Each structure stands twice: as structure tokens, then as C-alpha cells.
Amino acid sequence: MSKRLRSSEVCADCSGPDPSWASVNRGTFICDECCSVHRSLGRHISQVRHLKHTPWPPTLLQMVETLYNNGANSIWEHSLLDPASIMSGRRKANPQDKVHPNKAEFIRAKYQMLAFVHRLPCRDDDSVTAKDLSKQLHSSVRTGNLETCLRLLSLGAQANFFHPEKGNTPLHVASKAGQILQAELLAVYGADPGTQDSSGKTPVDYARQGGHHELAERLVEIQYELTDRLAFYLCGRKPDHKNGQHFIIPQMADSSLDLSELAKAAKKKLQSLSNHLFEELAMDVYDEVDRRETDAVWLATQNHSTLVTETTVVPFLPVNPEYSSTRNQGRQKLARFNAHEFATLVIDILSDAKRRQQGSPLSSSKDNVELILKTVSNQHSVESQDNDQPDYDSVASDEDTDLEATASKANRQKSLDSDLSDGPVTVQEFMEVKNALVASEAKIQQLMKTSRLEKQNSTPESDYDNTPNDTDPDDMGSSRKGRQRSMVWQGDGSVPDTAEAHTAPSPVLPSTEDVIRKTEQITKNIQELLRAAQENKHDSYIPCSERIHVAVTEMAALFPKKPKSDMVRTSLRLLTSSAYRLQSECKKTLPGDSSPPTDIQLVTQQVIQCAYDIAKAAKQLVTITTKENNN
């Protein structure tokens, strides 16, 4: 497949050299900094892929390259090309601009607000305009002119438009004409390869009739893209569609044959969903897979000295304004699932998708996606030890929710969920945390320099990865017990709690300087683990995870045994549980005669996810202590 990048290529948003990411649905190449903003907008605005480190269907990459090389960016910057825009002070970002606010504001205006696209003359009936545009799209896809079709789609043409006179959709036309790149573009914008025309034929049928075999095979792949992506995420393989295999259902290596009652209840709830709600849940899980995989690529390709800055990760799926608040809340909660919980949900969805295609769905008296998320999470969740508060508030379905109940529920949810990843999180709350990070960045850098000097003056470098000598005997004992426990912990939720029940809550937090020093220590060890993952040094996973665990234990020991702040408790729980999970995942690389062969790609994916969770928790603790100590 073509993965070449010519030296003349520049970022579509800031004109920086050597862009390494693509925005698939916008037909542009973008640099790392601009990509960090695209990722925070959500897939409904920009679908990003790394040009070298993400698997690409060859014709999809060719489609994006063709759009980029034929000036697709001018669609999104139409009015900026007008000399009058320079006179009015409007300009695009440049490489020297700061990411926040300069590049971020420009990118949001460009793609989210569509502030610079060409506007059609106003008409009284918008539906007529959309219909006209869709008819133009219908006739344009038989040619190879991709940028014309992208322009029509940007103005509101519908990819699934059913032409009343012709009796078919644009994808039927493109398939009959053998226009594989047009088919890729239409599919990115939601065209369905399974749609039948007035004769009962699908685009796949027309591609085969016309002898366009590569296009026919690709359309089948697109039809199964959701389930293929979920299977590939877990086991690194895709079904062999050519030979009639359309589903792969991975097995959990450490799952018991006897399903718990909770697991059975989760499966039953999933099976009882209507097809519409099941599809919505599956699409949301697909988006979460995309977020996790993109974060993994991001962590593996970035300068890891910025691991605790605000541009590092997207902590949960961004809000999609086209979805209900209930659905957005459910989407955000998917970020709370650890690797084992999320894999369980993915496998259940794959199994039920296969069942639904082969037979009729079960009827249901009440559909509730929320209960499925809660039940699956409760199977293994470290949160289940906290009996004071439920994992999630019960969320009503759209049909029986009025505005007053929604507001009341949002207030209750906000009081229950204070961690960044525990959603629902408002834009204001997220921006507060980001602003706090930006405000403390200079101080953090200065403190890190100071800590490095102190370390050089007082402690040999070899002590960096060992348990410190100044830990008191009680802490050493509990630390050892924790490590022994972690050796046998296999994701059953039995994670040691950092708080003892008889201890009174303490409002006292450690100094920001101490927390930053420990965060730097954790970061250094995570960098080492990520390098090992990049270089396929799987035998380094266990020693790296042990060093991370020691650093996490030291950081957790800085805080009171029972912190008063909910946010501190939640972040500490995420920090320590992720460290235990990391050790558990890394131990799967040990050779074992009786165990099934290890899927090293799945282990690596989950190891990176655990490292991401640890980094996220450490970042949150830096933010909290900086905020509290500055008050």
C-alpha cells in the first residue's frame, strides 16, 4: 500500500512541514500539534489516522491522498483564499502559533463551525437545496472527480440519498462505474453498501456484475467494518470475507467457563436490545476502540517528555451534539472500563452481532443500554469495592425523560462522578482542568529542573528504580503485600484499596513539588515501557511494570490513607488499579506450558492502555494538588 509522503507536503491547518496524520473525512494531512486539536473534536468532526503507524486499506489512503493533492483543503478554507479576508484580519494558523488558543481556535472555526466554506445563496426551503445537492452528487460519482463530490458533501449532500426517478443511491452509481475511490468517500460519509435499489440489488451486486472485483471485495469489507475493527482490536486478525467467514469472536484467555450471574445478566440485556439501540451501542464502542487505538499510536509516537501535558490524550469520547445527553453520558463512561472489562463488552457485542445476522433478535419490554454498561463494568470493576456510591446513576431512556428529570439527573450524576474520566463531564469542567494544567505548566517545568538537581546532589542514579530507603517499616510491609497480591491478580476486581476503613478522612494533601517528582519518576518508567513496546522487546515488559509499580506505590504513599477529596480518591484508585492491571497484563508474556498461546499484539495493546491510565491518573493528581495548594 502507498504510504509515501512527498517532502513538499505540509499541514493543511498550519502549513507546518512533514504532516504525519490524516483527517480521513476532510481529505487533509495534518501535523502532530494540529492533530491533537482534531482528536479533541470527536470523530463526527474529524476522523484521524496516522499515516505510517495505523493500518490502512490501500484504496482509503489513496482516496485521502487524491483529495489532498487536488486541493481539498480549499473547500474548508474557501473564504480565506479571498484577498479581502487578509484585509479583514482573518488568517489561517502558522507553525509558530501556540496550539492553545491560536491553532485550536482556528481548527474549530474551520471544521466545527465551517466558518470558511463557500455558502450557497439562502433559499426558503432548505430541504430542496439538500435534494438538489444530493442529485448533483448522484450524477458526479460516476466520474473520478473526488473533490467535487467532497464539496457537495460539505454543503449538505446526503451520501445515502435515494434518487426517486433513478431508483438507486450514489453508491450504486459509483459501483456500477467502478469508481472505487468515490465508493471510499461515500462510505466515509455514511453510505451503506447493503442498501438495495428499486430492483433489489446492492452496490456489491453491481460491482461484481461490472467485473470490478477489487471494489466488490472492498464493499463487503466496508459492510463489516464495525465488527472487523472490534475483532482486530482484540486479536489482531480480521475475518476472511472472500471465503464466507464474516465474524471472528475472540476468547478471553483468563475467563472462567462458568459465567457469573452478572455476566449472564449483561448478555441477556444486550440480547434484548432492539436492533436500533444495539447498533447505537456498537457504534459507540467502535468510537471508543478508535479513541483507545489512536491514543496508543499517539503515546508511541510522541515526545514522551510531554506525557503529562494537556495535549497528550483524549480522556473520553468528546460530546456529539447530534446525540442525546443520555447517549453522550454512556459514551463517556466507556473510558472507565479497564482493558479486561472493555474486552468483555467487545466480545459480547461481536457475539450478538453474529447472532442477530443469523437469526431474529429477541423481543424486549424495556431497552436500557445504561444497565448493560453498568453490569459489564460491575463484573470486574475496581469501583465495585466502593459501596458508598453506585458506579453510575440510573439513566432513563429518551422516551420517559423530561427536561426537569434530565436536569435533576445531571446534578446527581455530577455529585457522584468527579474524576475526569467518570463522565458526564461538561465542557466547562474539562476546560477548567486544562486551564489549570496550562497555568501550572511553567511551575511544573521549573520544579522538574529543581528535582533533577536535587536528585543529582543527593541520590545515586541507580536508586531511581529501587524502593526508597526513607520509607517507614509499616509502609514497606504494605508495599510488599501489595506486590505479592498483584502477582496473582487476574482482573477479578480484587484490587487492594489504598484507604483503610477505620481511618478518618484527611484533607491534607502532599506538596505539589513532591507529587511532580513522583510523576516524573512514573513518566520516565512509562517512557521505557513504551520504547520496549515500539521495539518489540516483550521480555522487558515485566521489569518495566515492576518499576512502574514501585513508582506508583511511592506516589500513592504521599497521600493520606483516606483522602477527604472524592477526586483524589478516584484518581488514586485509577492509579493503583491500573498499575496492578499492568503487572497482570505483562505477566501474560511469560511462557506457560498449560496456558493457551499468548496473543502478543493484544497484550501490547492492553499494556499501552494501562500505561495510558497510569499517566492520566498521575496527571490528574498533579492538577488537583496544584489547584488545592494554590488556593
Side-chain angles (χ1 to χ4, degrees):
M1 74 178 65
S2 170
K3 290 194 178 178
R4 54 174 178 65
L5 274 179
R6 295 194 300 276
S7 58
S8 60
E9 288 172 348
V10 297
C11 172
D13 296 338
C14 74
S15 303
D18 304 321
S20 52
W21 295 82
S23 174
V24 179
N25 57 323
R26 304 297 181 172
T28 57
F29 293 152
I30 49 178
C31 69
D32 279 5
E33 286 195 346
C34 291
C35 180
S36 71
V37 182
H38 278 249
R39 293 173 57 226
S40 71
L41 298 177
R43 290 187 75 254
H44 57 288
I45 302 294
S46 182
Q47 300 169 17
V48 298
R49 279 177 179 252
H50 197 279
L51 286 161
K52 292 189 174 69
H53 296 284
T54 303
W56 281 84
T59 50
L60 181 63
L61 179 58
Q62 191 182 343
M63 183 270 288
V64 179
E65 285 180 333
T66 302
L67 282 171
Y68 177 87
N69 292 329
N70 285 282
N73 196 41
S74 65
I75 294 171
W76 315 113
E77 296 184 356
H78 176 84
S79 64
L80 290 181
L81 301 174
D82 185 346
S85 69
I86 300 172
M87 302 299 291
S88 67
R90 290 197 302 182
R91 66 169 184 86
K92 71 182 291 175
N94 63 53
Q96 291 74 38
D97 283 337
K98 290 182 178 180
V99 179
H100 298 282
N102 306 67
K103 289 184 179 179
E105 286 180 356
F106 172 73
I107 290 167
R108 285 194 189 96
K110 179 177 174 180
Y111 298 109
Q112 196 168 28
M113 311 306 294
L114 299 178
F116 313 123
V117 299
H118 175 62
R119 299 290 178 191
L120 291 173
C122 288
R123 292 174 62 165
D124 294 335
D125 189 351
D126 287 339
S127 63
V128 174
T129 303
K131 189 175 180 181
D132 291 344
L133 289 167
S134 299
K135 284 186 174 181
Q136 288 181 48
L137 177 68
H138 190 277
S139 61
S140 297
V141 292
R142 62 169 53 87
T143 74
N145 200 335
L146 283 179
E147 61 275 15
T148 297
C149 293
L150 180 60
R151 192 180 302 277
L152 290 166
L153 288 163
S154 76
L155 292 170
Q158 298 301 302
N160 270 320
F161 173 73
F162 192 89
H163 199 296
E165 290 85 29
K166 310 282 186 184
N168 58 11
T169 70
L171 192 54
H172 285 98
V173 177
S175 301
K176 195 172 183 180
Q179 293 289 349
I180 192 165
L181 300 189
Q182 292 283 22
E184 290 282 6
L185 178 61
L186 290 168
V188 165
Y189 275 82
D192 180 4
T195 301
Q196 295 182 348
D197 66 2
S198 54
S199 304
K201 292 183 178 177
T202 68
V204 179
D205 295 330
Y206 283 107
R208 285 178 178 148
Q209 279 180 16
H212 310 301
H213 301 299
E214 183 188 5
L215 172 55
E217 288 170 12
R218 178 66 185 129
L219 287 171
V220 172
E221 283 181 7
I222 290 169
Q223 202 164 354
Y224 289 95
E225 182 188 359
L226 190 151
T227 48
D228 283 4
R229 178 81 178 269
L230 299 190
F232 191 82
Y233 171 73
L234 289 184
C235 64
R237 292 188 300 117
K238 290 185 179 179
D240 184 1
H241 296 294
K242 286 184 189 176
N243 291 319
Q245 181 197 27
H246 297 309
F247 294 91
I248 292 178
I249 315 294
Q251 298 298 313
M252 295 293 283
D254 59 349
S255 64
S256 166
L257 291 175
D258 297 321
L259 286 175
S260 68
E261 289 306 311
L262 280 169
K264 290 175 184 174
K267 288 178 185 296
K268 195 172 180 180
K269 282 287 178 189
L270 193 69
Q271 290 173 355
S272 71
L273 288 178
S274 66
N275 282 340
H276 173 67
L277 282 179
F278 177 77
E279 285 170 8
E280 283 191 352
L281 177 61
M283 286 161 61
D284 294 343
V285 169
Y286 176 98
D287 285 352
E288 176 66 11
V289 164
D290 184 81
R291 183 192 71 82
R292 293 185 182 213
E293 287 188 329
T294 306
D295 268 347
V297 173
W298 185 265
L299 285 168
T301 56
Q302 296 306 295
N303 173 0
H304 295 300
S305 64
T306 62
L307 200 59
V308 294
T309 69
E310 87 280 5
T311 60
T312 304
V313 293
V314 176
F316 48 79
L317 288 173
V319 171
N320 184 337
E322 294 181 9
Y323 296 159
S324 69
S325 59
T326 301
R327 184 174 177 187
N328 274 311
Q329 288 172 18
R331 284 164 60 84
Q332 290 185 349
K333 285 168 186 169
L334 290 171
R336 294 178 66 181
F337 284 35
N338 66 31
H340 190 283
E341 295 160 9
F342 191 60
T344 302
L345 178 59
V346 168
I347 289 169
D348 285 350
I349 284 175
L350 284 169
S351 302
D352 210 51
K354 182 178 181 181
R355 182 190 67 79
R356 285 167 188 263
Q357 194 197 51
Q358 294 175 346
S360 58
L362 303 176
S363 60
S364 164
S365 59
K366 182 168 176 59
D367 297 321
N368 201 326
V369 175
E370 184 67 22
L371 288 176
I372 292 165
L373 297 184
K374 180 177 179 180
T375 311
V376 174
S377 182
N378 278 347
Q379 284 175 247
H380 306 283
S381 178
V382 298
E383 307 277 339
S384 61
Q385 291 196 350
D386 235 6
N387 294 325
D388 298 331
Q389 298 174 339
D391 279 359
Y392 310 129
D393 195 4
S394 173
V395 180
S397 63
D398 290 342
E399 289 80 3
D400 55 12
T401 304
D402 59 29
L403 290 173
E404 194 172 347
T406 304
S408 166
K409 201 163 292 296
N411 290 335
R412 283 205 308 281
Q413 185 71 43
K414 188 174 176 182
S415 69
L416 292 174
D417 300 317
S418 52
D419 174 30
L420 252 187
S421 63
D422 280 1
V425 178
T426 66
V427 175
Q428 289 82 359
E429 287 170 330
F430 187 43
M431 290 309 296
E432 277 177 24
V433 178
K434 292 187 80 170
N435 292 338
L437 279 169
V438 173
S440 62
E441 187 68 23
K443 183 178 178 183
I444 289 173
Q445 293 302 326
Q446 184 57 43
L447 287 167
M448 284 182 170
K449 287 178 187 173
T450 307
S451 70
R452 279 195 289 271
L453 287 172
E454 288 178 3
K455 207 157 39 183
Q456 289 168 4
N457 294 336
S458 61
T459 312
E461 185 64 30
S462 60
D463 285 352
Y464 193 82
D465 292 326
N466 298 326
T467 306
N469 297 325
D470 58 1
T471 308
D472 69 55
D474 289 342
D475 285 345
M476 283 291 286
S478 64
S479 175
R480 272 198 299 275
K481 274 184 267 182
R483 280 200 293 280
Q484 288 168 352
R485 182 92 176 260
S486 75
M487 295 290 284
V488 297
W489 182 68
Q490 290 295 323
D492 60 356
S494 308
V495 180
D497 204 333
T498 54
E500 294 180 10
H502 62 269
T503 310
S506 169
V508 180
L509 292 179
S511 70
T512 307
E513 291 84 351
D514 287 345
V515 176
I516 288 168
R517 288 192 190 103
K518 295 303 179 187
T519 299
E520 187 189 21
Q521 200 169 335
I522 291 170
T523 301
K524 178 184 175 184
N525 291 320
I526 286 178
Q527 289 170 9
E528 188 182 346
L529 177 66
L530 293 173
R531 277 195 293 272
Q534 273 184 287
E535 295 165 11
N536 294 320
K537 294 180 178 175
H538 307 129
D539 54 349
S540 299
Y541 284 10
I542 291 176
C544 283
S545 71
E546 289 292 343
R547 284 192 284 273
I548 290 170
H549 179 268
V550 170
V552 164
T553 303
E554 291 172 18
M555 183 164 180
L558 293 175
F559 290 82
K561 289 189 175 179
K562 194 163 185 184
K564 190 174 182 181
S565 163
D566 286 346
M567 205 164 183
V568 171
R569 276 205 305 274
T570 309
S571 298
L572 280 171
R573 198 184 302 121
L574 177 63
L575 183 77
T576 54
S577 66
S578 300
Y580 280 101
R581 165 58 63 181
L582 177 65
Q583 286 191 306
S584 173
E585 293 297 334
C586 288
K587 285 178 178 60
K588 292 178 183 175
T589 60
L590 289 171
D593 297 331
S594 59
S595 61
T598 303
D599 187 333
I600 201 67
Q601 187 169 357
L602 173 59
V603 171
T604 298
Q605 174 70 43
Q606 297 187 342
V607 161
I608 291 173
Q609 179 66 34
C610 292
Y612 153 67
D613 287 339
I614 292 167
K616 178 172 68 173
K619 179 179 75 170
Q620 289 169 5
L621 289 167
V622 169
T623 303
I624 296 163
T625 51
T626 302
K627 220 173 183 181
E628 292 295 323
N629 292 331
N630 284 344
N631 286 342

